[in-house]
Amino acid sequence: QDDCSEFRSQFEAGGRLSCTRENDPVRDASGKQHTNKCLMCAEKFKKEAQRGGQSGGTGQRNRLPTSERTNQ
């Protein structure tokens, strides 16, 4: 199982995680290969933020589904 907890404290509210570029390939739960664990977690956090997950910057995104329901 992917454990990105070690990188969560480094994740910025703007949706960025600064990673080094060392080549230490790792696969995520879906089987997609990433250059290293940090880059894998950065992508995971970015997806969480986009869908209003646990990562930073979710305040505005949590309101989005309400407006979508209103428009339908």
Side-chain angles (χ1 to χ4, degrees):
Q1 183 175 353
D2 300 331
D3 182 15
C4 294
S5 59
E6 63 191 281
F7 297 105
R8 284 208 185 267
S9 63
Q10 301 169 32
F11 184 66
E12 300 173 5
R16 296 183 183 192
L17 177 64
S18 298
C19 297
T20 60
R21 295 188 178 265
E22 76 265 7
N23 189 15
D24 187 14
V26 63
R27 292 189 184 273
D28 62 20
S30 69
K32 181 178 177 183
Q33 184 167 330
H34 302 269
T35 304
N36 60 49
K37 188 174 180 179
C38 181
L39 291 171
M40 177 186 71
C41 292
E43 185 172 315
K44 179 179 179 178
F45 296 159
K46 184 177 179 180
K47 288 178 182 177
E48 286 178 357
Q50 288 174 348
R51 66 176 182 258
Q54 299 173 2
S55 299
T58 61
Q60 293 179 332
R61 299 194 187 281
N62 285 340
R63 288 189 291 250
L64 184 61
T66 304
S67 62
E68 286 177 356
R69 283 194 298 266
T70 305
N71 291 337
Q72 291 179 354

